């Protein structure tokens, strides 16, 4: 029977079926990964663990695209940020960072707390880090006082993707020896990334975003140059110390208790990424992002990122019309459609909402998510034009959609 008010009917509709987790991390965990983790813990000093550890560490190298070591911490991304700093730099060192958004701002705050002197290239939170300014700043630093360039690859608060190869070229063009550190916390596994080819010295990542795992693993991939710096730098550390990690890692083991259960999930997530093929994964995310921007444009709303070449394949941040609160829209969408959208962070609070299309997302999930946004805009009384979903479907129907492949892959039992 259809009893109750319209709002009650909407809530009842929302409670059946599955929750749509469309925030830009944590992202939904595929069924296969959940099943891989549904098992008893094992002795982390026994032979079975050694095999698992080695497999996961080798697999990580293939995702970071590096021949060098990747250390895995039981930590969030913030811990991996700290590990990168304390293993390579010394108190008082100057570093160059770029204000791409809230995550770059938080990383800067951490660097300052750890005693670094940060030169922060100002930004308007609507584009990636500027290679030309980085080049000019390094070129004028003739005494090589700047010890590291630290950028966020995918700025999760704004949906802008910094051009890491262009920044590498900028550092080289200035002939500057600074270390190059990149936060790929939300991009790794969803956006193209090449640690070795792009000559990054430290790549920082974590489990719960592009890699389709629950929160709880932090990563550092490192170059020879970064390892050399770690042998002479003067930042105190213990838990995060690379040297302590790398010794037992050689045989697949850890210096302390690792997140065993998550490592089983990691092994499965790596297998899923390779079954689809990394290039196909990245193409799928570009396609989903293009469809999302088509919807936003058709609604008559504005995408926050203004740089055509820097639109994120991981998420899209959408600006609210003046006078309308993004958090109210998110609340309406959650209550009526059981979908979580990302909030505006820092100075963007209430001004933008973020649609995640990272990790295990495919065309039908995205179409459902965009439908929820379109219904939410109407319910919340936000001025917009109808037809955003139709515009997105037109893009999704074009060749290049990896939706069907993704569907098959995640449906298959382990
Ligand atoms: C989420 C995120 C972080 C922080 O990671 P936690 O796991 O929350 O500590 C840092 N940088 C970027 C780009 C992120 O998206």
């Amino acid at each position: 029977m259809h009893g109750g008010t319209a709002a009650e009917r909407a809530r009842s509709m929302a409670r059946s079926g599955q929750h749509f987790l469309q925030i830009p991390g944590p992202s939904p965990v595929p069924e296969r990964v959940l099943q891989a983790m549904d098992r008893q813990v094992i002795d982390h000093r026994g032979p079975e663990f050694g095999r698992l550890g080695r497999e996961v560490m080798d697999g990580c190298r293939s995702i970071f695209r590096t021949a060098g070591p990747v250390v895995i911490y039981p930590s969030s991304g913030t811990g991996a940020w700290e590990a990168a700093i304390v293993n390579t730099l010394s108190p008082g060192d100057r570093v160059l960072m770029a204000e791409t958004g809230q995550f770059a701002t938080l990383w800067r705050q951490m660097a300052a707390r750890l005693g670094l002197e940060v030169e922060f290239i100002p930004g308007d939170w609507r584009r990636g880090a500027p290679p030309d300014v980085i080049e000019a700043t390094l070129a004028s630093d003739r005494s090589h006082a700047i010890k590291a360039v630290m950028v966020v690859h995918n700025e999760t608060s704004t949906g802008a993707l910094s051009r890491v190869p262009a920044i590498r070229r900028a550092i080289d063009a200035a002939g500057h020896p600074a270390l190059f550190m990149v936060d790929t916390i939300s991009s790794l596994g969803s956006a193209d990334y090449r640690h070795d080819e792009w000559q990054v010295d430290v790549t920082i990542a974590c489990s719960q975003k592009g890699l389709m795992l629950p929160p709880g693993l932090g990563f550092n991939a490192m170059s020879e140059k970064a390892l050399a710096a770690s042998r002479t730098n003067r930042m105190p550390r213990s838990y995060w110390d690379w040297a302590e990690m790398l010794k037992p890692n050689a045989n697949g083991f850890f210096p302390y208790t690792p997140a065993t259960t998550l490592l089983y999930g990691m092994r499965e997530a790596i297998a899923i990424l390779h079954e689809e093929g990394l290039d196909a994964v990245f193409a799928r995310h570009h396609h989903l992002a293009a469809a999302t921007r088509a919807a936003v444009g058709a609604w008559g709303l504005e995408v926050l990122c203004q740089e055509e070449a820097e639109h994120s394949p991981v998420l899209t941040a959408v600006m609210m019309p003046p006078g309308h609160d993004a958090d109210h829209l998110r609340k309406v969408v959650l209550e009526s459609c059981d979908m979580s959208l990302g909030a505006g962070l820092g100075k963007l609070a209430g001004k933008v909402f973020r649609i995640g299309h990272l990790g295990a997302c495919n065309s039908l999930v995205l179409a459902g998510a965009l439908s929820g946004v379109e219904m939410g805009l109407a319910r919340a009384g936000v001025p917009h034009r109808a037809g955003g979903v139709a515009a997105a479907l037109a893009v999704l129907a074009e060749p290049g959609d990896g939706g069907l492949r993704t569907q098959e892959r995640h449906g298959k039992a382990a």
Side-chain angles (χ1 to χ4, degrees):
M1 296 301 290
H2 293 287
T5 65
E8 280 163 358
R9 280 199 302 277
R11 267 196 290 279
S12 155
M13 186 106 94
R15 270 194 299 270
S16 64
Q18 74 178 61
H19 178 68
F20 268 58
L21 183 64
Q22 298 299 139
I23 62 176
S27 68
V29 179
E31 203 58 47
R32 273 177 64 182
V33 174
L34 292 175
Q35 283 168 12
M37 294 187 299
D38 184 11
R39 51 189 301 162
Q40 188 54 267
V41 289
I42 57 169
D43 172 10
H44 63 285
R45 314 245 185 241
E48 186 183 345
F49 186 89
R51 281 190 294 275
L52 172 69
R54 271 196 305 271
E55 256 184 274
V56 172
M57 286 171 212
D58 286 346
C60 277
R61 280 193 269 278
S62 69
I63 303 298
F64 285 81
R65 288 179 155 163
T66 180
V70 179
V71 299
I72 308 172
Y73 298 103
S75 81
S76 81
T78 304
W81 264 351
E82 182 159 336
I85 292 174
V86 298
N87 278 288
T88 56
L89 298 166
S90 300
D93 277 355
R94 264 179 71 195
V95 298
L96 182 62
M97 302 177 85
E99 185 194 0
T100 47
Q102 178 68 3
F103 287 104
T105 301
L106 292 173
W107 200 15
R108 173 216 194 179
Q109 192 179 75
M110 169 187 280
R113 283 177 185 158
L114 291 170
L116 302 178
E117 270 187 47
V118 184
E119 188 162 337
F120 205 38
I121 299 168
D124 64 359
W125 295 37
R126 301 196 70 173
R127 63 204 77 247
D132 53 340
V133 181
I134 291 172
E135 182 176 337
T137 309
L138 294 177
S140 66
D141 175 36
R142 289 190 222 293
S143 66
H144 296 164
I146 294 171
K147 298 303 176 202
V149 175
M150 299 160 67
V151 300
V152 174
H153 183 214
N154 186 71
E155 178 52 80
T156 321
S157 64
T158 68
L161 191 78
S162 285
R163 287 166 289 152
V164 174
I167 297 170
R168 176 74 258 173
R169 284 194 296 275
I171 299 170
D172 293 344
H176 200 287
L179 292 168
F180 186 23
M181 303 199 204
V182 182
D183 165 349
T184 65
I185 287 178
S186 60
S187 51
L188 196 78
S190 289
D192 190 12
Y193 190 77
R194 297 144 194 265
H195 176 90
D196 284 2
E197 189 182 323
W198 296 348
Q199 294 172 57
V200 177
D201 293 300
V202 187
T203 297
I204 296 121
C206 76
S207 52
Q208 76 270 22
K209 299 186 184 181
L211 292 176
M212 309 181 288
L213 287 157
L217 297 178
F219 307 90
N220 277 180
M222 63 208 67
S223 68
E224 276 301 327
K225 186 171 156 185
L227 277 170
S230 77
R231 288 192 273 271
T232 56
N233 81 310
R234 289 174 289 100
M235 195 80 80
R237 75 267 189 182
S238 171
Y239 182 81
W240 303 115
D241 193 59
W242 287 346
E244 288 298 310
M245 266 289 200
L246 291 171
K247 271 179 276 169
N249 275 186
N251 297 314
F253 295 104
F254 285 71
Y256 40 67
T257 315
T260 316
T261 305
L262 287 172
L263 295 178
Y264 282 114
M266 181 85 201
R267 181 169 68 181
E268 194 67 21
I270 292 168
I272 289 175
L273 287 169
H274 286 311
E275 281 166 31
E276 183 174 356
L278 287 180
D279 292 337
V281 170
F282 304 147
R284 169 164 56 84
H285 289 292
H286 275 292
H287 205 99
L288 296 170
T292 305
R293 291 195 299 278
V296 176
W299 288 325
L301 300 178
E302 204 181 329
V303 170
L304 180 64
C305 176
Q306 283 185 314
E307 205 63 58
E308 202 46 51
E310 296 178 336
H311 283 303
S312 168
V314 168
L315 78 139
T316 302
V318 184
M319 294 173 77
M320 292 296 283
H324 291 269
D325 179 12
D327 291 339
H328 176 66
L329 171 69
R330 291 191 314 108
K331 182 170 183 280
V332 167
V333 168
L334 178 62
E335 285 175 358
S336 61
C337 295
D338 196 19
M339 175 164 72
S340 297
L341 294 168
L345 300 178
K347 70 177 187 187
L348 296 172
K351 297 194 172 70
V352 307
F353 65 92
R354 297 172 300 147
I355 304 169
H357 32 76
L358 66 169
C361 190
N362 64 23
S363 56
L364 288 187
V365 168
L366 184 73
L370 295 173
S371 301
V373 174
E374 192 161 320
M375 286 188 279
L377 290 168
R379 278 208 175 93
V382 179
H384 71 288
R385 292 191 299 264
V389 172
L393 294 185
V395 174
L396 291 172
E398 287 167 8
D401 170 36
L404 180 61
R405 256 195 331 270
T406 324
Q407 188 76 2
E408 285 168 354
R409 205 182 60 218
H410 295 304
K412 206 165 60 186

